Amino acid sequence: MGDTLEFNEIYQEVKGSWNDGRLRFSKQNVVYKSSKTGKVDSIPASELNLAQWRRVCLGHGIKLGTSSGHVYKYDGFRDTDFEKISEFFKTNYKLELAEKDMCVKGWNWGTAKFSGPLLSFDVNDNTAFEVPLSNVSQCATGKNEVTLEFHQNDDTEVSLMEVRFYVPPSQSDERQDPVEAFAQSVLSKADVIQATGDAVCIFKELQCLTPRGRYDIRIYPTFLHLHGKTFDYKIPYTTVLRLFLLPHKDQRQMFFVISLDPPIKQGQTRYHFLILLFSKEEDISLTLNMSEEDVERRFEGKLSKNMSGSLYEMVSRVMKALVNRKITVPGNFQGHSGAQCITCSYKASSGLLYPLERGFIYVHKPPVHLRFEEISCVNFARGTTTTRSFDFEIETKQGNQYTFSSIEREEYGKLFDFVNAKKLNIKNRGFKEGMKGNIDEYSDSDEDQHDAYLERMKAEGKIREEGNDSDESDAESDESFNPGEEDDDIAEEYDSNASASDSSEDGDDSEDDSAKKKKAKKPKPVKEKKERKPRKEKKKKQKDTGGPKRPMSAYMLWLNSSRERIKSENPGISITEISKKAGEMWRQLGKDEKEEWDTKAGEAKRDYDKAKKEYKESGGGSASVSKKESKKSGGKKDEKKRKSAGADKDKERSGNDSFKSREFIETSESSSDSDHKSKSKRKKESDDDEEEEAMTTPASSEEESD
């Protein structure tokens, strides 16, 4: 048999919840490490005086007792482990592992026995259940009853709130009440915080980030008392898991973090961390409220009666001595800026991530502590908003994921080397090692860095440019009819000499030449032009300039009267600001003040209606409209005369012109259509006969040439 025995998935009951961990038996001690909190219980082998093997709900369990009165229970063993553990205990601890049966009758009367920190309820000398007295939060007595209330654990689905014991009156000893004796036995070992005696020392007005506010911290021998303006918290030293002392990135402040399990509660809020913020320049002189002999005997030189120094040093030193825990500080990690932390964001709140020797801690909202042993893998991901930053993702073995975003990419190389040195599993390690030669460039250089994503985008851009070039070359090979640019083709169509287009040889040669460049385009058949009906012109409502002006609204009347006053009260105000200010003042006016202007607006409206009626009766509005219509009709007649004269000239010119090709006829028709469209407003009132004559002019010339 070896020097050690190790067992995985061994469970320890903590306030109603089962926490798994690892248990190791060695020659020197028994060590249990919780997987959830990382807390380590070490029992020296020389202090063991009790070892029991029991059948429990999770298989088999071991109950260990020490000479100092502490009891430890571990469950989750198999039946086959008994012989191996029993032989190890006999060989190394000189202790026999005794089998102990539990009472499963379900009786509710028996004998209550106090053995160290446990209250054991026995039926016929067999234990029915055990209550750890450290879980008791309150003990109340009645006539013949004792009620025990328990601390609650947020991790449990079902919690035990209270247990009541009926204590029958005793006839043997009348001087002592059995109920009071029972209660005193419970309170002597219970975790009931009572502020008795004077505090060892007091720190005034310390800045606390979590929970937020300024608190007076009173240090008692067994607990810590936070006294604020609104809330008070009492924190037993037994609930303190770890202490952290972390320098701020500005090198002028310090964080002191206290990890708690179970957390302190305020309503439905749970605070797993107590975070204090100190300035390095703040000093204090501290005197402990104890005699020098008591200080020396209790703290063994860790503290002295009179101390002075920085405030954060004094607080951390006192807490370390009372809690008896080591203070964790950042290790050898150093970021790009020289600080021992990395600026990042977690859940939309900016904070600092500290890589420690055995984990990561993020401060401060919300605080997160992740140990390396509970981390399954980490991942470096590209930032979602910009390429100037990246995300650092941590996935735990329980399946939880923590994403620390907006980390400057200059920190990438340092953080990757740190994670690699700690031998953490990197999720995208293959991809990163493929870029191994680029890691240093990524972390050290800003301008000459290699960005794989950028290179890919450039490559795709080149492919798109090549595709566009090929499309443009194809488009250039396709010939289009551009007048004035291609002399050969245009000369064929616009040549006034008909023989050039009639010769078949020249036509064949030109077709062969054009076929070499591209496929010859077939001329589109000429479609008969349909007569277009002139669009009906929408008559716009003519503005009558001679009529009475419309009345102003109540607001405009008030604004005209108040404009000068607003300018005098606000010198230098702009026009837009006057309107804005007037709108605010108008909204603030009362109903009575607004009614005055509403009546004025009503009078102006009645005057306007009366004046408009008189104006229409006198025929003022119809006369002005008739004048405008006469001017418009006179202009249309002159336009018709000009168009008819132009049409006669076109007929004379068409009789003298030579033969025109069908392509020319088609293009001339299309150009005439475009001219009609561009001048549609002026040609809408033209007669149908004139439009027909203009459109059929090329067709008549073609018939004459044929």
Side-chain angles (χ1 to χ4, degrees):
M1 180 177 292
D3 295 337
T4 59
L5 282 179
E6 289 193 12
F7 298 92
N8 295 324
E9 296 184 4
I10 301 300
Y11 295 88
Q12 185 182 37
E13 187 267 333
V14 179
K15 295 182 180 179
S17 68
W18 292 100
N19 297 337
D20 66 319
R22 299 177 61 186
L23 182 65
R24 183 181 66 190
F25 298 107
S26 64
K27 291 182 178 181
Q28 294 80 19
N29 53 16
V30 178
V31 180
Y32 178 79
K33 186 171 185 179
S34 173
S35 299
K36 179 190 174 185
T37 61
K39 186 177 180 181
V40 178
D41 293 331
S42 182
I43 310 170
S46 57
E47 295 185 5
L48 290 174
N49 61 2
L50 174 67
Q52 292 181 353
W53 179 267
R54 307 184 299 177
R55 179 68 185 269
V56 291
C57 58
L58 295 177
H60 293 78
I62 290 179
K63 177 182 177 182
L64 300 177
T66 63
S67 55
S68 59
H70 291 89
V71 176
Y72 303 90
K73 294 186 293 183
Y74 305 106
D75 299 346
F77 295 96
R78 298 177 181 175
D79 192 14
T80 55
D81 296 332
F82 174 74
E83 296 180 1
K84 184 167 48 176
I85 298 173
S86 177
E87 186 177 350
F88 187 88
F89 274 40
K90 287 180 182 179
T91 305
N92 297 287
Y93 303 151
K94 304 294 188 280
L95 192 66
E96 185 177 356
L97 184 63
E99 293 189 64
K100 182 73 174 177
D101 294 332
M102 303 290 290
C103 179
V104 292
K105 291 183 177 181
W107 292 2
N108 62 347
W109 66 90
T111 305
K113 294 181 180 179
F114 293 93
S115 57
L118 291 178
L119 168 60
S120 176
F121 189 81
D122 296 347
V123 178
N124 295 336
D125 294 332
N126 289 330
T127 302
F129 63 88
E130 292 175 336
V131 177
L133 295 178
S134 60
N135 292 357
V136 177
S137 63
Q138 194 59 258
C139 179
T141 59
K143 184 178 180 180
N144 290 319
E145 281 186 348
V146 178
T147 303
L148 306 184
E149 296 181 6
F150 300 96
H151 292 290
Q152 299 304 301
N153 191 342
D154 296 333
D155 296 333
T156 58
E157 296 181 0
V158 180
S159 296
L160 178 64
M161 301 296 293
E162 66 176 27
V163 173
R164 293 184 181 182
F165 293 94
Y166 172 77
V167 183
S170 175
Q171 298 177 356
S172 59
D173 190 1
E174 297 180 355
R175 290 174 296 178
Q176 186 178 10
D177 186 6
V179 174
E180 290 296 329
F182 190 98
Q184 290 300 323
S185 299
V186 172
L187 290 172
S188 62
K189 299 293 183 181
D191 188 13
V192 179
I193 300 175
Q194 296 176 346
T196 57
D198 296 330
V200 175
C201 60
I202 300 176
F203 298 99
K204 293 281 188 180
E205 292 291 324
L206 296 185
Q207 184 180 357
C208 192
L209 300 181
T210 305
R212 190 176 181 84
R214 287 194 172 268
Y215 290 86
D216 294 341
I217 297 184
R218 299 174 182 176
I219 306 293
Y220 287 90
T222 57
F223 66 94
L224 178 72
H225 183 200
L226 266 70
H227 176 68
K229 294 181 179 179
T230 309
F231 302 110
D232 282 5
Y233 302 97
K234 294 178 181 178
I235 305 172
Y237 295 140
T238 54
T239 64
V240 176
L241 282 180
R242 292 177 186 82
L243 302 174
F244 301 91
L245 189 61
L246 308 171
H248 198 279
K249 194 172 184 179
D250 59 8
Q251 303 298 326
R252 293 182 297 174
Q253 300 179 94
M254 297 290 291
F255 292 110
F256 185 63
V257 184
I258 302 174
S259 176
L260 304 173
D261 184 45
I264 56 178
K265 304 174 184 178
Q266 183 56 51
Q268 296 297 321
T269 307
R270 304 291 184 265
Y271 297 106
H272 292 270
F273 293 89
L274 180 65
I275 302 179
L276 303 173
L277 183 63
F278 300 96
S279 173
K280 284 187 175 181
E281 299 174 355
E282 193 173 357
D283 297 332
I284 190 175
S285 296
L286 187 65
T287 301
L288 300 183
N289 191 18
M290 299 173 68
S291 64
E292 293 185 1
E293 293 79 9
D294 292 340
V295 172
E296 182 65 29
R297 183 180 68 254
R298 175 160 186 179
F299 300 113
E300 299 176 356
K302 296 178 182 178
L303 298 177
S304 57
K305 183 176 176 61
N306 298 308
M307 297 179 292
S308 63
S310 299
L311 179 58
Y312 74 90
E313 290 180 351
M314 293 297 101
V315 174
S316 59
R317 187 174 173 184
V318 171
M319 288 297 298
K320 180 182 178 182
L322 288 168
V323 178
N324 198 20
R325 299 269 183 195
K326 293 181 180 180
I327 295 180
T328 304
V329 297
N332 299 325
F333 176 81
Q334 194 171 18
H336 177 73
S337 60
Q340 293 179 299
C341 57
I342 296 172
T343 304
C344 61
S345 297
Y346 177 64
K347 290 186 177 180
S349 297
S350 180
L352 299 173
L353 179 66
Y354 290 85
L356 308 174
E357 288 299 318
R358 296 184 179 179
F360 295 97
I361 186 169
Y362 172 82
V363 289
H364 80 98
K365 195 174 181 180
V368 177
H369 179 232
L370 298 169
R371 294 173 287 112
F372 289 157
E373 57 195 31
E374 63 178 335
I375 294 176
S376 172
C377 63
V378 299
N379 182 30
F380 293 88
R382 180 171 296 280
T384 55
T385 57
T386 176
T387 57
R388 300 290 300 177
S389 64
F390 67 95
D391 297 348
F392 182 57
E393 301 172 353
I394 299 177
E395 187 174 340
T396 62
K397 294 178 181 177
Q398 287 79 21
N400 300 323
Q401 185 168 343
Y402 301 86
T403 302
F404 303 97
S405 58
S406 301
I407 304 175
E408 295 180 358
R409 62 180 176 187
E410 287 81 4
E411 306 284 0
Y412 174 84
K414 301 283 187 181
L415 185 58
F416 183 84
D417 293 340
F418 175 82
V419 171
N420 208 19
K422 296 301 179 183
K423 298 181 180 179
L424 295 177
N425 182 23
I426 301 176
K427 199 170 185 179
N428 50 0
R429 178 180 291 275
F431 175 69
K432 296 295 177 186
E433 289 185 350
M435 296 173 59
K436 190 118 181 147
N438 304 325
I439 291 172
D440 294 336
E441 294 178 1
Y442 191 97
S443 58
D444 295 338
S445 174
D446 289 335
E447 298 177 357
D448 299 330
Q449 62 209 348
H450 176 80
D451 193 335
Y453 180 79
L454 183 61
E455 293 296 331
R456 196 176 73 209
M457 291 296 101
K458 286 181 178 179
E460 291 178 1
K462 287 181 180 179
I463 294 172
R464 283 197 298 270
E465 288 178 2
E466 292 174 1
N468 293 336
D469 293 342
S470 63
D471 293 342
E472 289 175 3
S473 62
D474 292 341
E476 289 173 1
S477 64
D478 293 338
E479 295 177 0
S480 59
F481 177 70
N482 296 320
E485 293 182 4
E486 297 177 5
D487 296 337
D488 296 338
D489 296 336
I490 295 169
E492 180 182 350
E493 291 183 359
Y494 279 88
D495 193 0
S496 60
N497 187 8
S499 61
S501 60
D502 289 336
S503 58
S504 60
E505 294 178 0
D506 296 339
D508 295 338
D509 293 338
S510 62
E511 288 178 2
D512 294 336
D513 294 336
S514 61
K516 291 179 181 179
K517 295 180 181 179
K518 62 162 203 153
K519 294 181 179 179
K521 290 185 177 180
K522 295 182 179 180
K524 294 181 180 179
V526 179
K527 295 182 180 179
E528 293 183 0
K529 199 71 176 181
K530 292 184 180 180
E531 295 181 1
R532 293 186 179 179
K533 294 181 180 180
R535 294 182 181 177
K536 292 182 180 179
E537 183 180 3
K538 292 182 180 178
K539 293 184 179 180
K540 292 184 180 179
K541 192 175 181 180
Q542 298 297 330
K543 189 175 181 181
D544 191 2
T545 55
K549 292 185 178 180
R550 280 191 165 186
M552 292 185 182
S553 63
Y555 169 72
M556 291 304 297
L557 291 171
W558 172 85
L559 178 59
N560 288 340
S561 65
S562 305
R563 183 177 281 108
E564 295 300 327
R565 180 167 58 87
I566 295 172
K567 284 183 180 180
S568 62
E569 292 177 356
N570 302 277
I573 191 170
S574 63
I575 297 174
T576 56
E577 290 175 350
I578 289 174
S579 302
K580 186 178 179 182
K581 184 74 176 176
E584 294 176 358
M585 294 171 66
W586 176 256
R587 284 193 293 271
Q588 292 173 1
L589 288 179
K591 290 184 179 180
D592 298 337
E593 295 176 343
K594 286 186 178 180
E595 282 180 2
E596 177 186 351
W597 297 101
D598 288 337
T599 54
K600 290 182 180 180
E603 292 175 0
K605 181 70 168 60
R606 286 192 292 273
D607 295 341
Y608 168 75
D609 293 339
K610 184 178 180 182
K612 189 176 180 182
K613 185 177 181 181
E614 293 175 355
Y615 178 72
K616 285 186 176 180
E617 288 176 355
S618 62
S622 59
S624 60
V625 173
S626 62
K627 285 181 182 180
K628 290 181 181 179
E629 288 179 354
S630 63
K631 287 182 181 179
K632 192 172 182 181
S633 60
K636 289 181 179 178
K637 289 179 180 179
D638 296 339
E639 189 177 354
K640 286 182 180 180
K641 289 179 180 179
R642 287 196 297 270
K643 285 185 178 180
S644 61
D648 294 338
K649 290 181 181 179
D650 290 339
K651 286 182 180 180
E652 293 175 1
R653 195 181 296 119
S654 63
N656 298 328
D657 285 344
S658 60
F659 171 77
K660 300 292 189 300
S661 63
R662 302 185 74 179
E663 290 83 354
F664 174 74
I665 295 167
E666 184 181 354
T667 53
S668 64
E669 288 177 354
S670 62
S671 62
S672 65
D673 293 341
S674 63
D675 291 339
H676 281 295
K677 290 179 181 177
S678 63
K679 300 177 181 178
S680 59
K681 290 184 179 179
R682 290 178 293 176
K683 292 184 179 181
K684 281 181 181 177
E685 302 297 329
S686 61
D687 296 329
D688 297 340
D689 298 335
E690 291 177 351
E691 186 179 358
E692 212 173 66
E693 185 180 354
M695 292 175 63
T696 55
T697 300
S700 62
S701 64
E702 184 180 352
E703 290 173 1
E704 290 173 1
S705 62
D706 289 340

